[in-house]
Amino acid sequence: TQAQDLPISDGEKYILGEIKVTGNVSYNEQTVIAYTGLKKGEEIYIPGDKLSNVLKKLWKLDLFSDINFYLTNVENGVADLELEIQEVPKLSKVRIQGLKKREQEELLEENKLREGAKVTENLITTTKNYIESKFRKEGYFNANVKINTTPVQDTTDTKSNLVNMVVDVDKGDRVKIDDIDFAGNENFSDAKLKRSMKNTKQKNLFRFWKRSKFVRADYQEDKQSIIDKYKETGYRDARIVSDSLIKKDDESITLNLKVEEGDQYYIGDIEFLGNSVYSDDQLQRVLGINKGDIYNGVLLDKRIMDQSRPDAQDLSNLYKNNGYLFSNIDLVETNVYNDTIDFEIRIMEGKEAYFNEIRVTGNDKTKDHVIYRELRTKPGQKYSQEDVVSTVRELGQLGFFDAEQLEPNFVDPNPQTGTLDLEYSVVEAGASQIELQGGYGGGGFIGTLGLSFNNFALSGLFDKEAYKPLPMGDGQSLSLRAQASTFYQTYSLSFMEPWLGGKKPVSLQTSFSFTRQFLFDYLTRRADKSRSFDILGVNVGLAKRLTVPDPYITVSHAIGFQRYNLNNYNTGLFTFGDGHSNNLSYTFGLTRDNTYVNPIFPTGGSKFKLTAKLTPPYSLWNDVDYANLGEQREFQLEDENGNLIDLNGGRVTPENAVPDQGKIDQEKFNWLEFYKVKFSGEWFTQIYDKLVLRTFAEYGFLGAYNNDRGVPPFERFFLGGDGLGAFSLDGRETVQLRGYPNQSVVPIDRPTGSTDDGATIFNKYSLELRYPITLKPSASIYALTFLEAGASYDNFRDYNPFQLNRSAGAGLRIFMPAFGLLGIDFGYGFDPIVGSPGANGWETHFIIGQQF
Amino acid sequence: EDTGEKYATAEQLYNEAKEEESKPKFRKALRLFEQIVPEYRGKPQGEKLSFLFADTYYQLGDYYLSSYQFERFQQSYPNSEKLEEAAFKKAASFYELSPRYDLDQTDTRKAITELQAYLNTFPDGEYAIRANELATELRVKLEKKAFEIAKQYHTTGLARAGNFRAAITSFDNFTKEYPGSPFREEAFYYRFDATYQLAINSFASLMEERLKEAKTYYQAYVKRYPEGEYLSSMNASLEDIETRLQNL
């Protein structure tokens, strides 16, 4: 842009000669000249418009603290110029005095006080003001900041143009509110008004958790709360006439507030206008405010449209949840007489809105089909705010996206055609976990490597392109885990696909695990690698949520196989040390769960669960006479040479042969044969306010098809304690019964000292009262007290529903999304456990994970 | 000076790399370009250097940075003779960034816009044919996305209430929005099938109206595709519709 050069006052025209730049330290002479735009040989007025524009342009850069042009030589109308510049110093080091390290770093960051920053006057002033006002906001009214800069003295004394900065901060004492005085309040006491101020508090020795500092923003908010407090009780005209802040001394202030209460008002007639979809009665029921009620402005606004809760039961949502996106509701006061106000609620229903297109953006890992199958809002469907809100919540629960950043955007809402597009914008979140740990335990080093991928894509397994770094986006989960120590190794792999085949929400779960345990000699602290016990497990299951007869029922099928292999390894489980046992079973499960609303703290509904685990009835067709195995030659005790012997090793005749228990058990358990049925039911009842009663009953029975073959020592029930599933080899089921030690409630008819191999029948009853302390999404906490009773039996002959082990106690549960459920219970057992006299007394239980 | 030497080496490496299609050499050249590009900014060599720098990112497959550097080149040197190549390669960078159809398509849309911008500026350009090919491929990708989403509503129609209706609306939108799509015939077929499935899974009171709706969609298909590949399966459905209508 070449502007016309004009002379200023008596400026004369010259030809521009040499330009010299002086005073520059960090900028190249050529660069500066190029920037000015002056070229040798051009015509120029001195003084003139062009030169002064150059000066302005240079000043604007904020890089120089002084700029001067000098005419150094004039010859034949050719003028040589000198441009003298003083560069703004750069920041070398900053020191902040009077603050903690962390505060210092924050301030440096917030004010951009970095090495190399240009130290302009502006920087110094804004920094000073920023720090002072920052501390004022925190209640330090006397904060004082001084900033000094000193040039850096280089040892070589060359021009460095660097300065050091010292910021001296004197926070002073925090100003406290000594007193809050109210005037003009007749209907509300001072104390009540002070309570309504949430963050502005008067000094009080007993209130140590909330300080009485004065923060202006909070104070303004609290003034509004005072007005709201009045509004809630009919004082519609209440206002704060004046308020003043009086400084008592450097450390304390007094607040004086003068209020004008006005009169208390009552609700008069409420008339609905413009409603055609809902009748006056229906609207009145949702509004829930009647003629003659005390006027409550806050509540009235909330019942029409609650700004704080998008899922509230209010008039606006009544329309918005049923397609009327374009509806609008206005509240108008039509008449005020004496202390009564008449209202009109004017409703513009507008056209019903339908979704046209539903889009998803931001999914750069998760594939469309995984997301779209979760969306409740669909093309062509009537608009429902409720559906939008639940979709956002459910997408968040998938765990693939950052729940905080999920938002629905309405695109082109068109009141004329009654259509809108909806766009869900998602942000992918890391959904994989890696666990790698090592440590000492159980007599040696234990290493664990765990990988879990929450959004895996099996389809990408053989696609090179999909590895970024792993195939992801099909919404499947895959986890791998390996654990090894000196005496055992465990490997497991599991895979879950929530929509098998993509047509219906049928989930497929498969898992595979292998454990090898070596005999561990506790004396030598060595594992004997030649003696081992292996368990191999494979499970495949399908679960499907039904739609008929109601949507709360889930049916599941699973096939499982376990193989136990003993290699010269004696456990309490088997009477033989060498051999194997197979457990092939089919499990059928039926669950009906309509508990609501919060899964952590249900306040209503019930949950029933029935499972049946069955093995094939081998004994029906395998022609083994299990009753008389001991009389057959091959199951009798013999020595190495095949001669029959007795228990003492002496030779015996076939008539006196002794059965070999090990061989018999091997024959009985080579394929486990049993059936197991369990039933549980629980009900949640809201008793009063948030107090909820949980009623729970559970039964289990393990039986044999063939009584001669008997019930195997596997899969049995162990009652008592916290009910947490401990590591076990025998597929045992632990049942919670608080007030007793873990797995201690054995059938009462057993002789003392008998080996505890679990019961085949149990029942358990429980009543629990729960009260929530907080139910925030970040952490839910509730307290509980309970009464429980349960017992286990060896057979139906001994079954006695009144012979129960009873207990009572109290506890606490904390649920945090990152940790799951944690809890502690104290229970008192009223009855003895087998083998000890008297009541069992107090027990403490720690609960980890879901226990309902 | 040192920078001059670096410039020469970098350029030589770039040329060799291009000749030998050697990524390691491109990487070496890139290291040098990164160092000298700021120094030559505003100087005569800057133009060539900026282009080589951007192209090195392109050759190395770092398309985020190549698209950005080509963009800068376009803005800094609007009169450059390399402008056409830069404009195409910028668009091609976005083409490369475009992910598979069932992920977010922001980069695909950006690529189509850039390719179109190239074709508008250089209608007879050296890369015009290629640019057209790429743009068509991307448009088909967007069509596939819309088609697959609509089809998923059809697939999950029995599992989720309202999905057949959603499929019909989506295929309606699809046929209107992409009149020349290769998935058009399929879309007409699935729209019919969604209506048919919806009708036969309806309460008796709604069935007649829905069966008739299905018939209109059948006719819509036959009119356009009298020899269509889905015709035999649709005729079977139509027969069923007729019997049901008679028995109502």
Side-chain angles (χ1 to χ4, degrees):
Chain A
T1 52
Q2 290 291 7
Q4 181 83 38
D5 193 15
L6 293 169
I8 292 174
S9 61
D10 53 349
E12 277 182 51
K13 204 189 224 178
Y14 296 95
I15 302 285
L16 196 53
E18 299 290 330
I19 306 172
K20 209 178 136 193
V21 181
T22 57
N24 55 319
V25 179
S26 43
Y27 303 108
N28 183 290
E29 182 166 5
Q30 287 307 313
T31 315
V32 177
I33 293 170
Y35 189 78
T36 63
L38 296 173
K39 280 192 206 82
K40 191 176 168 182
E42 70 179 328
E43 289 183 347
I44 192 168
Y45 285 101
I46 298 175
D49 202 28
K50 196 168 198 170
L51 269 192
S52 68
N53 278 338
V54 167
L55 280 174
K56 273 185 206 154
K57 202 165 138 190
L58 288 173
W59 274 115
K60 253 196 191 158
L61 288 175
D62 259 347
L63 294 175
F64 309 109
S65 56
D66 199 11
I67 308 166
N68 290 303
F69 271 113
Y70 298 109
L71 198 57
T72 45
N73 190 21
V74 181
E75 219 172 278
N76 302 332
V78 175
D80 292 347
L81 289 179
E82 179 187 336
L83 172 59
E84 186 201 47
I85 51 175
Q86 191 70 55
E87 287 179 16
V88 167
K90 283 188 193 165
L91 195 56
S92 170
K93 280 184 187 137
V94 194
R95 204 165 81 233
I96 298 185
Q97 292 177 338
L99 290 179
K100 286 189 195 120
K101 181 112 183 156
R102 202 171 52 79
E103 285 179 306
Q104 290 184 15
E105 279 164 8
E106 251 172 49
L107 284 180
L108 290 180
E109 187 53 41
E110 285 161 0
N111 288 293
K112 304 206 166 62
L113 297 179
R114 296 190 196 103
E115 202 179 318
K118 303 267 183 287
V119 185
T120 55
E121 279 300 314
N122 185 35
L123 180 80
I124 294 173
T125 321
T126 47
T127 304
K128 179 179 152 76
N129 290 343
Y130 179 87
I131 299 175
E132 284 182 355
S133 78
K134 180 182 166 133
F135 285 118
R136 275 211 190 120
K137 277 191 201 138
E138 288 173 13
Y140 294 96
F141 271 76
N142 306 312
N144 196 357
V145 175
K146 283 196 196 104
I147 298 181
N148 282 318
T149 55
T150 45
V152 176
Q153 281 302 325
D154 208 317
T155 40
T156 57
D157 212 30
T158 47
K159 274 198 291 181
S160 67
N161 198 30
L162 292 174
V163 289
N164 285 337
M165 188 189 263
V166 180
V167 184
D168 199 356
V169 183
D170 179 10
K171 283 212 283 197
D173 286 317
R174 211 195 273 267
V175 174
K176 296 207 168 158
I177 303 163
D178 218 25
D179 207 359
I180 305 178
D181 280 338
F182 289 99
N185 54 324
E186 285 164 16
N187 295 300
F188 282 7
S189 66
D190 284 9
K192 195 164 186 175
L193 292 180
K194 280 177 198 168
R195 266 205 305 279
S196 72
M197 301 177 80
K198 296 226 164 53
N199 292 307
T200 310
K201 296 286 182 191
Q202 174 179 321
K203 222 156 76 179
N204 185 338
L205 276 181
F206 300 106
R207 192 176 27 75
F208 48 84
W209 61 91
K210 197 152 202 171
R211 282 179 289 182
S212 55
K213 61 193 178 184
F214 179 80
V215 178
R216 192 163 289 274
D218 288 345
Y219 176 56
Q220 295 301 346
E221 221 172 83
D222 285 345
K223 283 203 292 192
Q224 189 56 46
S225 330
I226 293 177
I227 304 286
D228 284 348
K229 187 90 202 160
Y230 272 109
K231 269 196 176 173
E232 278 169 22
T233 41
Y235 294 92
R236 168 186 86 122
D237 300 333
R239 61 197 180 109
I240 292 172
V241 192
S242 66
D243 64 317
S244 47
L245 183 158
I246 296 162
K247 201 166 174 180
K248 279 181 92 177
D249 48 55
D250 273 355
E251 287 174 32
S252 59
I253 56 166
T254 303
L255 294 173
N256 283 340
L257 288 124
K258 194 166 175 218
V259 296
E260 198 178 273
E261 293 180 329
D263 293 328
Q264 195 172 24
Y265 287 86
Y266 293 88
I267 304 268
D269 292 323
I270 300 177
E271 211 177 321
F272 295 97
L273 290 180
N275 51 317
S276 66
V277 189
Y278 295 104
S279 69
D280 286 5
D281 280 351
Q282 284 172 312
L283 295 175
Q284 180 61 43
R285 233 171 289 138
V286 175
L287 186 67
I289 294 171
N290 298 306
K291 187 172 179 173
D293 288 356
I294 289 176
Y295 171 86
N296 180 344
V298 179
L299 184 67
L300 202 53
D301 284 344
K302 270 194 178 174
R303 288 289 162 78
I304 288 176
M305 186 168 157
D306 192 342
Q307 305 279 9
S308 59
R309 281 172 55 211
D311 55 346
Q313 290 281 334
D314 53 32
L315 282 182
S316 164
N317 277 353
L318 180 67
Y319 276 98
K320 301 246 153 106
N321 288 343
N322 292 289
Y324 291 90
L325 169 68
F326 304 112
S327 65
N328 192 18
I329 303 175
D330 278 323
L331 178 72
V332 181
E333 293 182 6
T334 47
N335 196 6
V336 182
Y337 48 97
N338 302 329
D339 58 352
T340 308
I341 308 170
D342 288 349
F343 292 97
E344 263 177 33
I345 294 179
R346 295 180 185 165
I347 301 167
M348 294 264 305
E349 290 180 338
K351 207 168 174 170
E352 270 183 289
Y354 288 85
F355 292 117
N356 188 32
E357 208 182 312
I358 309 287
R359 285 193 290 264
V360 176
T361 60
N363 54 322
D364 43 27
K365 290 200 187 86
T366 310
K367 292 174 191 167
D368 283 344
H369 70 97
V370 176
I371 305 170
Y372 277 84
R373 68 193 183 197
E374 302 296 334
L375 304 181
R376 283 170 181 256
T377 53
K378 291 160 195 181
Q381 203 179 50
K382 208 191 275 181
Y383 171 83
S384 159
Q385 179 163 314
E386 208 176 355
D387 282 348
V388 178
V389 173
S390 2
T391 300
V392 168
R393 196 187 53 232
E394 286 163 12
L395 283 181
Q397 283 166 351
L398 285 179
F400 306 152
F401 310 114
D402 183 349
E404 302 292 314
Q405 295 187 60
L406 268 169
E407 51 179 319
N409 305 317
F410 295 148
V411 185
D412 313 324
N414 187 337
Q416 266 76 48
T417 58
T419 57
L420 74 154
D421 289 353
L422 183 59
E423 183 179 288
Y424 292 99
S425 110
V426 301
V427 177
E428 300 270 358
S432 304
Q433 284 161 352
I434 293 182
E435 175 195 17
L436 178 63
Q437 48 178 255
Y440 269 91
F445 179 79
I446 301 177
T448 307
L449 173 67
L451 294 169
S452 77
F453 309 107
N454 204 357
N455 191 3
F456 193 72
L458 200 65
S459 60
L461 210 56
F462 301 106
D463 180 6
K464 226 175 71 189
E465 300 271 300
Y467 282 81
K468 297 173 189 170
L470 272 165
M472 281 185 62
D474 274 349
Q476 298 156 339
S477 47
L478 175 79
S479 64
L480 300 156
R481 213 175 127 86
Q483 193 170 47
S485 80
T486 45
F487 68 101
Y488 75 88
Q489 297 157 7
T490 311
Y491 306 94
S492 64
L493 181 147
S494 70
F495 173 77
M496 205 268 284
E497 156 66 63
W499 278 66
L500 187 66
K503 279 194 175 175
K504 289 182 178 167
V506 175
S507 77
L508 167 79
Q509 305 207 25
T510 56
S511 67
F512 168 85
S513 68
F514 178 74
T515 306
R516 167 164 286 178
Q517 182 161 1
F518 297 108
L519 192 71
F520 187 70
D521 188 336
Y522 285 92
L523 290 175
T524 62
R525 308 207 134 265
R526 284 231 176 89
D528 183 351
K529 302 258 166 161
S530 65
R531 306 172 70 183
S532 63
F533 179 25
D534 299 346
I535 307 175
L536 171 80
V538 180
N539 279 290
V540 179
L542 286 175
K544 181 174 189 278
R545 189 166 240 210
L546 299 185
T547 44
V548 262
D550 67 31
Y552 307 116
I553 298 179
T554 308
V555 177
S556 65
H557 308 268
I559 287 178
F561 174 74
Q562 273 90 41
R563 183 180 169 87
Y564 303 86
N565 224 335
L566 294 151
N567 176 19
N568 195 12
Y569 189 107
N570 285 298
T571 71
L573 268 180
F574 298 95
T575 43
F576 48 92
D578 267 308
H580 63 268
S581 177
N582 299 307
N583 182 359
L584 174 69
S585 64
Y586 160 73
T587 307
F588 172 78
L590 190 65
T591 311
R592 184 180 187 277
D593 182 355
N594 70 339
T595 54
Y596 52 89
V597 174
N598 182 344
I600 313 300
F601 191 83
T603 51
S606 59
K607 185 172 172 180
F608 298 97
K609 196 171 171 185
L610 175 73
T611 57
K613 188 170 185 180
L614 318 164
T615 64
Y618 307 101
S619 53
L620 276 185
W621 61 72
N622 68 358
D623 288 334
V624 177
D625 180 10
Y626 289 103
N628 302 311
L629 284 177
E631 283 157 26
Q632 292 170 35
R633 176 66 179 79
E634 54 191 304
F635 299 110
Q636 287 169 346
L637 216 52
E638 55 183 26
D639 65 13
E640 286 142 26
N641 304 322
N643 301 314
L644 292 173
I645 50 171
D646 67 4
L647 290 169
N648 301 322
R651 296 272 295 267
V652 288
T653 53
E655 300 88 73
N656 298 326
V658 185
D660 184 338
Q661 199 57 42
K663 282 180 186 159
I664 293 175
D665 282 357
Q666 168 68 76
E667 177 65 18
K668 274 185 174 176
F669 303 139
N670 60 355
W671 285 90
L672 295 181
E673 188 177 309
F674 64 91
Y675 64 94
K676 182 156 81 170
V677 184
K678 278 190 303 174
F679 173 77
S680 69
E682 62 184 320
W683 294 262
F684 293 93
T685 342
Q686 203 153 356
I687 290 187
Y688 176 74
D689 191 25
K690 294 178 198 156
L691 190 66
V692 171
L693 175 70
R694 173 183 179 260
T695 313
F696 179 77
E698 191 180 8
Y699 307 88
F701 173 63
L702 177 69
Y705 302 116
N706 182 332
N707 282 328
D708 294 331
R709 196 169 182 182
V711 182
F714 291 82
E715 303 272 352
R716 295 192 172 209
F717 304 113
F718 291 79
L719 201 60
D722 52 30
L724 297 180
F727 173 73
S728 71
L729 304 170
D730 55 2
R732 64 174 58 185
E733 294 207 30
T734 53
V735 181
Q736 183 186 52
L737 184 65
R738 290 167 286 191
Y740 297 94
N742 285 354
Q743 307 176 10
S744 65
V745 184
V746 297
I748 198 138
D749 302 309
R750 284 201 189 159
T752 5
S754 67
T755 55
D756 177 21
D757 52 1
T760 55
I761 303 172
F762 83 94
N763 56 5
K764 184 203 157 180
Y765 308 93
S766 161
L767 284 173
E768 193 170 289
L769 271 177
R770 297 171 167 184
Y771 190 82
I773 295 165
T774 167
L775 290 176
K776 293 203 180 100
S778 54
S780 305
I781 305 175
Y782 64 86
L784 60 93
T785 72
F786 63 86
L787 288 173
E788 273 182 349
S792 62
Y793 315 92
D794 278 327
N795 51 52
F796 276 115
R797 251 195 339 273
D798 301 332
Y799 183 74
N800 180 353
F802 302 106
Q803 194 185 60
L804 297 168
N805 281 51
R806 296 155 302 171
S807 67
L812 197 71
R813 294 284 183 282
I814 301 176
F815 177 85
M816 283 177 283
F819 299 101
L821 190 90
L822 302 172
I824 182 166
D825 282 337
F826 303 99
Y828 184 86
F830 297 107
D831 294 298
I833 51 173
V834 170
S836 60
N840 181 59
W842 287 103
E843 293 284 340
T844 307
H845 307 287
F846 294 97
I847 314 288
I848 302 166
Q850 218 80 339
Q851 279 300 306
F852 15 87
Chain B
E1 234 187 322
D2 185 33
T3 44
E5 238 168 75
K6 279 184 182 168
Y7 180 97
T9 323
E11 198 182 351
Q12 193 195 341
L13 274 169
Y14 170 87
N15 288 331
E16 284 174 22
K18 208 154 188 192
E19 196 119 311
E20 300 164 21
E21 291 178 8
S22 146
K23 284 209 170 184
K25 282 201 173 165
F26 271 122
R27 256 179 234 119
K28 275 185 189 163
L30 185 69
R31 293 279 283 282
L32 293 172
F33 283 138
E34 276 168 350
Q35 291 169 29
I36 56 180
V37 161
E39 309 222 8
Y40 280 100
R41 200 149 276 153
K43 292 185 179 160
Q45 298 96 320
E47 181 181 330
K48 186 171 186 193
L49 200 54
S50 300
F51 183 85
L52 296 184
F53 184 44
D55 195 48
T56 308
Y57 277 128
Y58 184 79
Q59 301 292 350
L60 282 171
D62 199 339
Y63 298 112
Y64 275 109
L65 289 166
S66 66
S67 66
Y68 171 72
Q69 292 297 345
F70 278 123
E71 166 96 40
R72 273 190 79 167
F73 177 82
Q74 269 184 310
Q75 280 170 3
S76 310
Y77 307 101
N79 302 317
S80 168
E81 58 182 30
K82 284 285 192 186
L83 194 67
E84 187 192 333
E85 192 179 343
F88 174 74
K89 282 190 169 166
K90 182 175 79 170
S93 299
F94 283 112
Y95 166 83
E96 297 286 352
L97 287 174
S98 162
R100 48 179 293 159
Y101 75 91
D102 53 6
L103 298 176
D104 183 34
Q105 296 297 310
T106 309
D107 284 323
T108 311
R109 292 199 184 83
K110 182 103 203 192
I112 293 177
T113 315
E114 293 294 341
L115 287 166
Q116 198 55 56
Y118 168 82
L119 286 166
N120 292 344
T121 327
F122 307 98
D124 305 314
E126 191 185 342
Y127 306 99
I129 296 169
R130 181 84 184 120
N132 262 319
E133 278 171 14
L134 296 184
T136 309
E137 187 189 328
L138 294 179
R139 284 198 193 98
V140 171
K141 190 189 270 189
L142 290 182
E143 285 161 13
K144 184 172 171 65
K145 184 186 185 75
F147 175 75
E148 290 293 339
I149 288 169
K151 200 170 132 190
Q152 193 193 0
Y153 285 123
H154 175 268
T155 315
T156 55
L158 288 172
R160 292 271 192 267
N163 273 10
F164 279 130
R165 184 53 69 192
I168 299 167
T169 311
S170 301
F171 281 121
D172 259 347
N173 288 342
F174 180 85
T175 49
K176 276 180 209 143
E177 208 171 320
Y178 306 107
S181 167
F183 306 106
R184 189 170 165 84
E185 185 186 341
E186 249 182 299
F188 270 92
Y189 163 69
Y190 278 112
R191 185 175 65 171
F192 159 76
D193 199 55
T195 334
Y196 169 64
Q197 298 283 352
L198 177 67
I200 62 172
N201 287 296
S202 299
F203 289 113
S205 59
L206 296 166
M207 203 186 279
E208 185 179 352
E209 190 195 332
R210 290 181 177 173
L211 286 172
K212 283 178 178 162
E213 189 189 351
K215 267 174 78 176
T216 61
Y217 284 130
Y218 171 83
Q219 275 140 17
Y221 178 91
V222 175
K223 205 176 107 197
R224 284 173 185 81
Y225 307 102
E227 313 269 296
E229 60 173 302
Y230 298 98
L231 211 55
S232 62
S233 124
M234 284 173 72
N235 282 334
S237 305
L238 185 71
E239 241 170 72
D240 184 42
I241 290 174
E242 299 292 1
T243 16
R244 277 170 195 265
L245 279 172
Q246 272 165 19
N247 296 337
L248 273 173

